[in-house]
């Protein structure tokens, strides 16, 4: 058993035993109260699930096993220019420990050994029109890989419940290893006339992905390491993570569970928002007739957008009440590696203009930028202007967190998720009481 799997097995068994004892002694303890507005408002903020890999703080942002994004950037093994390798974050999410350089290198090689994609997957993709939305292609490709599911086969053979995590681990490792190849294939067939680029397994996971997309720019490789790290997880209550958790709780294998989550990520109110941001910025630039708008011009355009009862894409978050640390991490990357970019400068001007305007409305709980406010501009700078593909990049990254969490869920024996629903008549009856 390789070191990551062994470490996880030891920690999972200890936590499983501890949680069983806690539940036996304190299982009736109340941890939350639910209001009618939460019932009718999308279950916002209701504590009702476990998610080991990360936790979101409204002020400090996401923490991966207790580590903030600045701490992750500082402590995880990194690439040549200092950006953390996502392999290290995956290790951290599974074990709670900061890995060594050697451990990360071993994980990179493990994923390389698992990365071959069946020709049938590519044939499935080629059966669709090339202009099919990249996220549709992505979810179909994930399902096309499902016949390789180890969990599916072993469950049919009658494996015990204590072995579920092992099969989910193997499927998750295989899926993570293959996603960059599949995503790059979708990008090249959709936007580069099917001119595909073979993988280079001398590179780490992120750099190889950048290479297959079509860029060997060392700065873009660093961006991919950062991007795939900071987008990896955002606790379990967001739509895509919760969907993966829900489907996984039925004992669907990681392929089916992850594909379901990617369909949630494709929604305009979730992951598709990252393409909406850059689209809005380009529309503003075109409307104003300049690539270097002033803050006053931006303010006028933002006001017109608000007057038309439209939102400002990339601003506001369901949980965060401060600027998203993921936005800040991307800004610092741009400050270090990108000089004299009109588009990046515009993003920063928007950051100066929008929050005060939203605060002045008196209705917005969080006027600050989220991760989507900056990511598209960085990708455009490095030549990736096809925004319909951005959510696929997001999905490749998000696989790290949701699949790591899925391994934990099976190791801890988490049950089928089944919350209680109510009718509008029931709600009215509660008011009358």
């Amino acid at each position: 058993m390789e070191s990551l799997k062994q470490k996880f097995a030891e920690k999972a068994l200890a936590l499983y035993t501890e949680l069983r004892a806690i539940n036996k002694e304190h299982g009736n303890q109340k941890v939350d109260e639910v209001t009618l507005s939460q019932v009718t408002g999308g279950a916002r903020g209701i504590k009702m699930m476990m998610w080991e890999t990360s936790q979101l703080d409204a002020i400090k942002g996401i923490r991966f096993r207790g580590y903030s994004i600045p701490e992750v950037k500082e402590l995880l093994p990194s690439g040549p220019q200092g950006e953390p390798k996502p392999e290290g974050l995956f290790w951290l999410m599974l074990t709670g420990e900061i890995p060594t350089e050697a451990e990360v290198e071993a994980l990179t090689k493990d994923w390389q050994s698992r990365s071959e994609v069946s020709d049938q997957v590519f044939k499935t993709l080629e059966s669709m029109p090339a202009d099919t939305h990249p996220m549709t292609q992505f979810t179909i490709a994930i399902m096309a890989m499902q016949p390789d599911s180890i969990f599916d086969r072993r469950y049919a053979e009658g494996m015990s419940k204590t072995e579920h995590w092992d099969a989910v681990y193997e499927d998750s490792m295989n899926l993570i290893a293959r996603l960059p190849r599949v995503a790059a294939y979708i990008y090249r067939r959709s936007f580069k006339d099917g001119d595909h680029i073979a993988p280079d397994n001398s590179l780490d996971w992120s750099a190889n992905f950048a290479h297959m997309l079509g860029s060997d720019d060392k700065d873009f490789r660093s961006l991919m390491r950062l991007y795939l790290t900071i987008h990896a997880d955002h606790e379990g209550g967001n739509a895509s993570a919760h969907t993966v958790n829900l489907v996984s709780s039925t004992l669907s294998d990681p392929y089916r569970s992850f594909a379901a989550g990617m369909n949630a990520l494709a929604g305009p109110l979730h992951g598709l928002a990252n393409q909406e941001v850059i689209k809005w910025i380009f529309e503003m630039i075109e409307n104003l007739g300049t690539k270097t708008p002033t803050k006053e011009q931006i303010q006028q355009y933002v006001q017109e957008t608000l007057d038309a009862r439209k939102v400002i894409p990339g601003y506001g978050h369901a949980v965060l009440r401060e600027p998203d640390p993921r936005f800040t991490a991307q800004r610092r990357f741009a400050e270090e590696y990108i000089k004299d970019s009109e588009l990046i400068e515009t993003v920063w001007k928007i950051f100066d203009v929008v929050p005060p305007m939203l605060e002045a409305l008196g209705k917005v709980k969080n006027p600050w930028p989220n991760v989507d406010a900056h990511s598209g501009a960085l990708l455009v700078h490095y030549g990736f202007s096809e925004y319909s593909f951005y959510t696929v990049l997001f999905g490749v990254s998000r696989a790290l967190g949701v699949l790591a969490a899925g391994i934990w869920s099976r190791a801890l024996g988490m049950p089928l998720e089944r919350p209680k629903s109510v009718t509008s008549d029931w709600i009215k009856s509660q008011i009358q009481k």
Side-chain angles (χ1 to χ4, degrees):
M1 186 181 290
E2 66 266 30
S3 57
L4 175 56
K5 196 172 185 180
Q6 180 66 46
K7 280 180 178 287
F8 174 80
E10 294 169 356
K11 291 179 178 293
L13 178 59
L15 183 57
Y16 173 79
T17 303
E18 183 180 9
L19 286 176
R20 282 175 64 87
I22 290 173
N23 197 54
K24 183 176 181 179
E25 184 175 355
H26 304 285
N28 292 325
Q29 181 175 322
K30 291 184 179 181
V31 296
D32 203 3
E33 292 184 358
V34 179
T35 64
L36 283 179
S37 63
Q38 288 177 305
V39 173
T40 60
R44 186 63 53 85
I46 298 173
K47 298 177 181 67
M48 50 78 66
M49 63 187 298
M50 273 189 58
W51 194 263
E52 278 299 290
T53 48
S54 67
Q55 186 167 11
L56 183 59
D57 182 276
I59 304 301
K60 297 179 181 178
I62 194 66
R63 286 183 175 272
F64 303 103
R65 301 301 297 268
Y67 293 93
S68 67
I69 284 180
E71 290 169 336
V72 161
K73 283 172 57 65
E74 178 185 354
L75 297 173
L76 287 182
S78 60
Q81 292 177 290
E83 298 300 339
K85 290 182 179 180
E87 295 95 319
L89 181 63
F90 185 75
W91 184 289
L92 171 63
M93 289 189 291
L94 276 187
T95 68
E97 299 177 0
I98 298 293
T100 65
E101 294 277 358
E103 287 169 334
V104 166
E105 180 64 25
L107 182 54
T108 297
K109 290 180 178 178
D110 190 1
W111 286 353
Q112 289 169 349
S113 71
R114 299 170 181 262
S115 63
E116 185 173 349
V117 177
S118 167
D119 286 342
Q120 185 59 45
V121 176
F122 300 129
K123 290 177 182 177
T124 301
L125 287 171
E126 292 299 336
S127 71
M128 290 182 286
D131 62 355
T132 301
H133 194 284
M135 277 302 284
T136 302
Q137 296 186 60
F138 191 50
T139 55
I140 289 173
I142 293 163
M143 287 305 300
M145 290 188 281
Q146 192 279 334
D148 291 336
S149 174
I150 294 170
F151 182 91
D152 208 36
R153 172 177 56 79
R154 288 177 60 184
Y155 188 85
E157 293 170 351
M159 70 174 164
S160 69
K161 187 176 180 179
T162 58
E163 296 176 306
H164 285 181
W165 77 265
D166 186 280
V168 168
Y169 175 93
E170 293 299 328
D171 275 350
S172 297
M173 292 284 279
N174 288 338
L175 186 50
I176 290 170
R178 295 165 189 174
L179 284 176
R181 179 77 173 104
V182 167
Y185 190 95
I186 292 168
Y187 176 76
R188 301 297 297 184
R189 84 175 291 261
S190 297
F191 305 111
K192 302 298 178 183
D193 298 320
D195 181 16
H196 299 293
I197 299 172
D200 180 353
N201 283 332
S202 69
L203 301 173
D204 60 78
W205 190 68
S206 304
N208 193 26
F209 188 23
H211 165 74
M212 290 186 290
L213 287 171
S215 175
D216 288 321
D217 184 317
K218 67 181 190 318
D219 291 350
F220 183 69
R221 289 181 181 181
S222 291
L223 174 62
M224 279 294 95
R225 293 186 187 101
L226 175 66
Y227 182 102
L228 296 171
T229 296
I230 66 176
H231 286 79
D233 204 34
H234 220 230
E235 75 171 27
N238 68 77
S240 57
H242 188 191
T243 300
V244 174
N245 186 74
L246 171 62
V247 177
S248 177
S249 79
T250 72
L251 298 187
S252 273
D253 62 68
Y255 296 90
R256 293 189 177 106
S257 303
F258 183 64
M262 290 304 94
N263 282 319
L265 193 70
L269 294 183
H270 192 21
L272 205 66
N274 57 13
Q275 76 179 54
E276 297 297 317
V277 173
I278 197 67
K279 180 181 177 182
W280 180 83
I281 293 175
F282 281 136
E283 287 175 350
M284 179 188 71
I285 288 171
E286 182 178 358
N287 183 278
L288 296 176
T290 175
K291 293 182 178 180
T292 57
T294 64
K295 290 183 181 179
E296 291 74 21
Q297 289 175 307
I298 293 173
Q299 186 174 25
Q300 179 183 348
Y301 187 81
V302 169
Q303 188 61 57
E304 291 172 355
T305 302
L306 294 173
D307 290 343
R309 294 185 172 275
K310 297 178 180 179
V311 300
I312 309 300
Y315 282 77
H317 191 275
V319 178
L320 292 171
R321 296 295 176 260
E322 294 288 341
D324 192 336
R326 299 172 298 175
F327 174 92
T328 304
Q330 291 179 107
R331 175 163 185 164
R332 288 176 178 165
F333 178 92
E335 289 171 343
E336 182 171 355
Y337 295 107
I338 300 175
K339 310 299 180 185
D340 303 321
S341 166
E342 295 172 344
L343 182 59
I344 298 296
E345 290 290 340
T346 297
V347 168
W348 295 348
K349 289 177 185 176
I350 295 170
F351 173 57
D352 291 337
V353 168
V354 169
M357 295 183 68
L358 293 181
E359 278 188 308
L361 296 175
K363 301 177 182 179
V364 180
K365 293 182 179 179
N366 173 27
W368 301 107
N370 57 50
V371 66
D372 300 320
H374 210 311
S375 56
L378 291 173
L379 294 168
V380 169
H381 175 79
Y382 289 106
F384 293 89
S385 58
E386 303 88 357
Y387 9 105
S388 63
F389 184 75
Y390 291 176
T391 314
V392 176
L393 290 175
F394 198 159
V396 172
S397 174
R398 187 51 56 92
L400 298 170
V402 299
L403 293 175
I407 299 167
W408 270 109
S409 291
R410 297 287 69 77
L412 298 176
M414 301 304 291
L416 174 69
E417 186 174 309
R418 179 57 167 88
K420 173 64 178 170
S421 63
V422 297
T423 66
S424 59
D425 285 341
W426 182 90
I427 291 175
K428 293 173 186 176
S429 72
Q430 298 303 300
I431 297 172
Q432 291 169 358
K433 289 179 180 179

